[in-house]
Amino acid sequence: MAKIELIGLSKDELQKALTDIGEKPFRAKQLWQWLYYFGETDFEKMSNLSKALRQKLAENFTVTRPKIVAEQLSSDKTRKWLLEFADGQRVEMVYIPEDDRGAVCISTQVGCAVGCKFCHTGSQKLTRNLTAAEIVSQFMVARDTYGEWPSPTNEIRYLSNIVVMGMGEPLHNLQNTIKALNILTDGDGIAISRRRITMSTSGIAPNIVCALQETGVRLAISLHAPNNDLRSKIMPINDKYPLEEVLSACREYQKDDGSRYITFEYLMLDGINDSLECARELIALMKKYKLRASFNLIPFNPWPGCSFTPSSNGRVRAFAKELENAGFAAPVRVARGQDILAACGQLKSQKDKEK
């Protein structure tokens, strides 16, 4: 009988796995802490478990990490990993540090089916969804690299935030993403605060409310255009889920909780979506749907073979000022990791890059 991988099991599933081999249910909490609080992969080092139990665990279960195929460190200290899973499929993951903390950008799919014209990942066809184990274990690799085990019990941690905006569309992998995020936020283990996790979606409208209600994490919408005609040209997914559906789902998400703010990601593309007219259309949309929102203006990060170019600094500043004058925060994101193709929209599995 094949061994069961423990990473990615929910608490209930872990408890069942242990009772199936004749162990008491309370052992699940002990094992959970070894896996997710201490980050231990070797059963022999789980010192508060009996030798007989450790042997039984080794006979029935595995605790694995993805293989690190390549690791790059940018001049600005951004770090990118190319990770390979058991079947040989690969994804990229990025850590973006600040002075005393930073965000780990994790992936949910190998490739992506959304096909945004400006996105490097979108030029790679979808291969498959990642499992909950494969999503969670990305963050665990980052913890391994930075030695952040056991889980810090205060707010001082270098790996302080998670952004689910790497390769793939998380809401096309709904159940595995929900399960993974609930493992990552569980207070007995990795314990990342739900308010420090942001899930970014291109706008899979039917899944937005469900995903946020079941995880409690923050929401970011990749908007990138103020009207359907323009958005469909650069984001084909808009033909299936037009702005009206996406923004209605956003309104539903905010309906019963005044603390829920939405970040709208907006990639600044020269001569495409960066006019003051576009800014004014965005303002009108927010007012029409009565959304509590801020904008994250993103300089375009070029990648080989893409025809888009970044907006000029002047146009970006004017666009931001227009939004700010209407009462919306509109910071301009500082591009990080460009020299290793680790910036927003640049991720792609290495095997596909080599073709």
Side-chain angles (χ1 to χ4, degrees), residues 67 69-70 82-85 87-92 109-111 124 127-128 130 167 348-352 354:
K67 176 184 176 182
V69 177
L82 176 65
L83 303 178
E84 183 174 281
F85 301 110
D87 64 352
Q89 295 297 333
R90 298 175 176 182
V91 299
E92 290 187 321
Q109 296 180 305
V110 181
Q124 174 184 347
T127 300
R128 67 170 176 85
L130 297 186
M167 294 174 60
K348 194 172 184 182
S349 73
Q350 197 68 28
K351 283 184 176 179
D352 196 74
E354 293 168 352

Side-chain angles (χ1 to χ4, degrees), residues 238-353:
N238 192 74
D239 289 335
K240 187 170 185 179
Y241 303 114
L243 281 172
E244 293 80 6
E245 290 186 31
V246 174
L247 297 180
S248 292
C250 290
R251 184 171 58 190
E252 179 67 19
Y253 161 67
Q254 290 188 330
K255 183 176 65 174
D256 298 320
D257 189 341
S259 68
R260 290 177 175 172
Y261 263 73
I262 297 169
T263 299
F264 287 100
E265 309 281 353
Y266 199 91
L267 188 67
M268 302 297 292
L269 301 171
D270 185 45
I272 305 293
N273 64 353
D274 60 350
S275 68
L276 290 181
E277 181 182 352
C278 285
R280 290 163 189 152
E281 284 188 77
L282 284 178
I283 294 165
L285 273 179
M286 296 301 107
K287 291 181 177 179
K288 176 180 178 180
Y289 288 90
K290 300 178 180 179
L291 296 174
R292 299 181 297 279
S294 62
F295 290 89
N296 190 4
L297 304 184
I298 307 170
F300 174 65
N301 301 301
W303 45 269
C306 185
S307 61
F308 293 111
T309 56
S311 299
S312 68
N313 289 336
R315 289 177 76 87
V316 172
R317 287 195 298 269
F319 197 96
K321 185 177 181 180
E322 192 74 19
L323 294 173
E324 290 165 354
N325 287 344
F328 296 97
V332 180
R333 182 186 293 178
V334 177
R336 302 288 298 274
Q338 288 181 305
D339 54 332
I340 58 172
L341 290 181
C344 181
Q346 291 184 319
L347 301 189
K348 194 172 184 182
S349 73
Q350 197 68 28
K351 283 184 176 179
D352 196 74
K353 287 179 182 176

Side-chain angles (χ1 to χ4, degrees), residues 27 40 61 68 104 113 117 155 173 194 218 220 225 227 254 283 305 314 340:
R27 294 293 186 192
E40 187 55 68
F61 305 115
I68 299 176
V104 181
K117 304 300 184 183
E155 286 297 306
N173 188 13
R194 296 177 190 274
R218 294 177 180 271
N227 59 66
Q254 290 188 330
I283 294 165
I340 58 172

Side-chain angles (χ1 to χ4, degrees), residues 11-293:
K11 278 185 168 176
D12 289 343
E13 289 170 336
L14 185 60
Q15 182 173 301
K16 182 178 186 305
L18 289 174
T19 57
D20 284 348
I21 62 169
E23 292 299 321
K24 299 293 185 182
F26 78 89
R27 294 293 186 192
K29 184 173 182 178
Q30 291 178 303
L31 188 52
W32 183 274
Q33 289 178 330
W34 279 113
L35 297 174
Y36 296 118
Y37 179 75
F38 292 106
E40 187 55 68
T41 60
D42 185 349
F43 294 116
E44 277 303 309
K45 295 181 180 178
M46 298 180 182
S47 54
N48 66 340
L49 305 180
S50 70
K51 186 173 180 63
L53 176 54
R54 282 178 275 161
Q55 183 175 344
K56 190 186 289 189
L57 292 173
E59 290 170 354
N60 290 276
F61 305 115
T62 59
V63 180
T64 59
R65 299 279 199 270
K67 176 184 176 182
I68 299 176
V69 177
E71 193 171 346
Q72 295 174 278
L73 188 64
S74 168
S75 59
D76 63 19
K77 305 304 181 184
T78 296
R79 187 182 298 268
K80 182 170 75 170
W81 295 263
L82 176 65
L83 303 178
E84 183 174 281
F85 301 110
D87 64 352
Q89 295 297 333
R90 298 175 176 182
V91 299
E92 290 187 321
M93 173 183 71
V94 173
Y95 174 59
I96 306 166
E98 302 298 338
D99 290 340
D100 60 348
R101 61 183 62 246
V104 181
C105 180
I106 61 176
S107 298
T108 55
Q109 296 180 305
V110 181
C112 185
V114 175
C116 298
K117 304 300 184 183
F118 48 77
C119 180
H120 204 191
T121 308
S123 67
Q124 174 184 347
K125 301 302 181 185
L126 176 67
T127 300
R128 67 170 176 85
N129 288 333
L130 297 186
T131 65
E134 291 166 338
I135 297 171
V136 171
S137 63
Q138 291 174 65
F139 185 76
M140 300 179 86
V141 166
R143 277 254 177 111
D144 293 343
T145 301
Y146 286 90
E148 203 162 79
W149 300 109
S151 293
T153 55
N154 54 38
E155 286 297 306
I156 301 174
R157 55 178 80 192
Y158 288 111
L159 310 183
S160 59
N161 293 56
I162 294 175
V163 286
V164 189
M165 55 180 71
M167 294 174 60
E169 165 53 64
L171 297 190
H172 275 163
N173 188 13
L174 180 64
Q175 293 308 317
N176 287 333
T177 297
I178 289 173
K179 185 178 182 183
L181 292 180
N182 285 332
I183 291 171
L184 289 165
T185 55
D186 186 276
D188 293 328
I190 291 172
I192 297 293
S193 169
R194 296 177 190 274
R195 65 186 174 85
R196 292 194 175 276
I197 298 181
T198 300
M199 181 172 60
S200 178
T201 174
S202 59
I204 313 305
N207 293 343
I208 288 174
V209 175
C210 169
L212 277 296
Q213 287 180 339
E214 292 196 35
T215 62
V217 302
R218 294 177 180 271
L219 173 65
I221 299 288
S222 293
L223 197 65
H224 307 313
N227 59 66
N228 283 319
D229 288 344
L230 179 53
R231 195 167 189 260
S232 290
K233 288 177 183 177
I234 60 175
M235 299 179 68
I237 193 68
N238 192 74
D239 289 335
K240 187 170 185 179
Y241 303 114
L243 281 172
E244 293 80 6
E245 290 186 31
V246 174
L247 297 180
S248 292
C250 290
R251 184 171 58 190
E252 179 67 19
Y253 161 67
Q254 290 188 330
K255 183 176 65 174
D256 298 320
D257 189 341
S259 68
R260 290 177 175 172
Y261 263 73
I262 297 169
T263 299
F264 287 100
E265 309 281 353
Y266 199 91
L267 188 67
M268 302 297 292
L269 301 171
D270 185 45
I272 305 293
N273 64 353
D274 60 350
S275 68
L276 290 181
E277 181 182 352
C278 285
R280 290 163 189 152
E281 284 188 77
L282 284 178
I283 294 165
L285 273 179
M286 296 301 107
K287 291 181 177 179
K288 176 180 178 180
Y289 288 90
K290 300 178 180 179
L291 296 174
R292 299 181 297 279

